[in-house]
Amino acid sequence: MTNLSIITTVRHNIGDDFVREGILSIIGDVAKFDQVELIHKHSPVTTAYGYEGLRRLRISRVVEPVLRVLGTKDRVADADLLIQSGAPVYWCHPGGPHCADNEWFDPLIRKRFLKDRRSRKLLSIAGGSCQRYHSDGSEVTNCPKCKAYIAEFFDACDLTLLRDSLAQRMLQLSGRDAMVLPCTSIFARDHFKITPTKGGYIVVNFMESGGHYTFGQNIDADKWRKNFGEIVDKLQPHGRVVAACHTVAEETLAKQIVPDVETYIVPDEHVAFMNFYAGARFAVVNRVHAGFMMASFGKPVAVIGNDSRALMIKNLNLTPHYVEDVTSASIDQMIAALLSREHSYPDEIEAIRTASRRAYVEALSKVLLN
Ligand SMILES: [Zn+2]
């Protein structure tokens, strides 16, 4: 096997970078590749060599089918192994959006990979759900197209490994099943050989309403802003507090709420963020993958979220919180819990990382070494 192509995002979301680097770390234990190519899933035309700069879906929708007809050389055709990396893969909301309508499966998998499958393998690794925080996954039972899509995607893959149990429930409701393992972002540090240093600061992170979307949930955005200010106030007596901002917009917001808060931002530089998280103590964050990266270095985190992605932190023995439920009292409890685990969590995460790596390598070996 020589060529690996990965369906991911490129310079778009460092969380996706963390997940992909983690996959590269574990797959390195099973197989070696001469070349690794990335396809920016939000613009499927980036599968074609020379078209990486076309990042608008509207343009991709026009150009990609033309290139397919012309037979332009591309990363799906060249892949000996194709991996869909991380991200929400199952979402279904009454009135939309629906995962069945996603932008990449039809052009990349149906129209390219499956039409020219040969004996090549397709893996879906560390995908998850993106539902309302309290969803039980039953939305898919009332949505024939998502149910059919989830089954079709599963059947196209030689291996599916999921990162949260709600995703597993949605898959089961679609008539299939797969194993849940902690998100591969916890192995990204191994890929770069980054080791934790003694923590120098406490990390916070703020997103409006606690997440990317609200999905019609009744979330009081002002209340979460006030609570964020209170979290920073209550953390300051315990040490230096730094707001990690994954985007410029997050930095602007954090400074609006707490004008004197110290911020850290290097947009799209995921390795810089990894080094930053490696030097922290503990965190209270909205960004789930800020949480995963911190935890992978043995730094305990509280993830406050508004959708089911936040729940995957449970796989690391850490606690998610629904943004709307945060109160003064729960902030105190959250901080006390983090302080109490600051020195014990490194051993806990190492046990989780070791067991999970073994499980990933075993599952990948079964599929790739046959
Ligand atoms: Zn649906």
Side-chain angles (χ1 to χ4, degrees):
M1 229 180 265
T2 54
N3 281 0
L4 166 63
S5 292
I6 306 182
I7 299 171
T8 176
T9 67
V10 180
R11 296 190 74 77
H12 174 74
N13 177 338
I14 60 169
D16 293 332
D17 299 329
F18 294 163
V19 180
R20 185 184 65 245
E21 304 293 6
I23 289 176
L24 287 172
S25 172
I26 49 172
I27 209 155
D29 288 1
V30 181
K32 300 285 174 238
F33 297 91
D34 298 330
Q35 206 172 326
V36 177
E37 292 288 336
L38 308 182
I39 302 165
H40 181 56
K41 73 197 300 184
H42 298 322
S43 176
V45 71
T46 56
T47 186
Y49 297 101
Y51 290 83
E52 302 74 26
L54 285 191
R55 292 169 61 91
R56 284 180 188 233
L57 184 57
R58 228 186 306 164
I59 298 170
S60 174
R61 282 191 167 133
V62 175
V63 179
E64 185 277 329
V66 176
L67 300 183
R68 200 186 324 132
V69 171
L70 292 175
T72 307
K73 223 171 124 43
D74 80 283
R75 295 173 169 87
V76 170
D78 275 1
D80 298 301
L81 174 67
L82 183 61
I83 297 181
Q84 137 52 48
S85 164
V89 286
Y90 307 149
W91 64 89
C92 180
H93 301 271
H98 300 275
C99 58
D101 300 329
N102 77 51
E103 69 281 43
W104 59 271
F105 188 81
D106 187 61
L108 297 178
I109 305 301
R110 278 195 200 106
K111 296 208 168 103
R112 289 179 182 266
F113 185 77
L114 295 178
K115 287 258 164 74
D116 177 29
R117 178 140 203 171
R118 294 167 258 156
S119 58
R120 303 183 301 155
K121 286 173 176 164
L122 170 64
L123 318 179
S124 176
I125 308 290
S129 66
C130 192
Q131 295 301 103
R132 286 177 165 211
Y133 191 91
H134 297 101
S135 165
D136 61 2
S138 59
E139 296 89 337
V140 291
T141 52
N142 304 317
C143 183
K145 72 172 177 181
C146 285
K147 216 169 137 177
Y149 164 73
I150 290 170
E152 180 190 1
F153 179 20
F154 178 89
D155 293 344
C157 291
D158 295 277
L159 175 67
T160 297
L161 295 171
L162 299 170
R163 67 188 186 185
D164 69 80
S165 52
L166 183 63
Q168 184 189 41
R169 182 73 193 129
M170 292 170 82
L171 182 60
Q172 288 167 344
L173 291 170
S174 306
R176 308 289 188 275
D177 202 4
M179 185 166 46
V180 176
L181 289 172
C183 177
T184 54
S185 50
I186 59 172
F187 309 114
R189 53 171 280 197
D190 305 319
H191 193 54
F192 296 103
K193 300 189 169 48
I194 300 173
T195 48
T197 56
K198 193 174 172 295
Y201 37 86
I202 301 161
V203 171
V204 293
N205 160 258
F206 178 84
M207 294 173 85
E208 191 78 286
S209 299
H212 292 283
Y213 316 99
T214 57
F215 299 127
Q217 296 166 114
N218 195 10
I219 292 166
D220 184 340
D222 283 339
K223 185 170 88 177
W224 171 229
R225 285 174 174 233
K226 286 192 191 97
N227 279 330
F228 177 72
E230 186 173 333
I231 289 168
V232 175
D233 279 351
K234 287 182 168 170
L235 284 172
Q236 262 156 353
H238 298 286
R240 181 179 157 209
V241 177
V242 183
C245 307
H246 285 200
T247 66
V248 175
E250 277 178 25
E251 186 181 40
T252 308
L253 275 169
K255 288 220 182 257
Q256 257 175 31
I257 301 163
V258 188
D260 61 347
V261 74
E262 186 182 343
T263 55
Y264 178 84
I265 179 167
V266 191
D268 296 329
E269 294 294 340
H270 64 287
V271 181
F273 269 98
M274 289 172 68
N275 282 306
F276 171 74
Y277 291 135
R281 287 174 55 195
F282 59 87
V284 180
V285 291
N286 282 150
R287 285 266 175 190
V288 182
H289 280 102
F292 265 77
M293 188 49 63
M294 290 272 299
S296 81
F297 288 114
K299 326 286 188 178
V301 294
V303 171
I304 298 172
N306 72 17
D307 64 57
S308 65
R309 297 165 63 263
L311 304 175
M312 65 181 169
I313 202 77
K314 286 189 200 169
N315 296 333
L316 306 184
N317 288 348
L318 293 166
T319 312
H321 304 264
Y322 182 48
V323 64
E324 191 60 16
D325 292 342
V326 174
T327 61
S328 269
S330 72
I331 291 169
D332 293 338
Q333 285 163 9
M334 221 179 277
I335 294 172
L338 291 168
L339 286 164
S340 75
R341 294 178 81 182
E342 199 182 343
H343 302 291
S344 58
Y345 192 68
D347 287 344
E348 236 177 291
I349 193 66
E350 278 317 300
I352 292 170
R353 276 167 29 86
T354 304
S356 316
R357 178 177 282 271
R358 199 177 302 133
Y360 270 111
V361 168
E362 192 185 322
L364 288 167
S365 299
K366 265 188 208 157
V367 173
L368 297 181
L369 303 181
N370 280 328

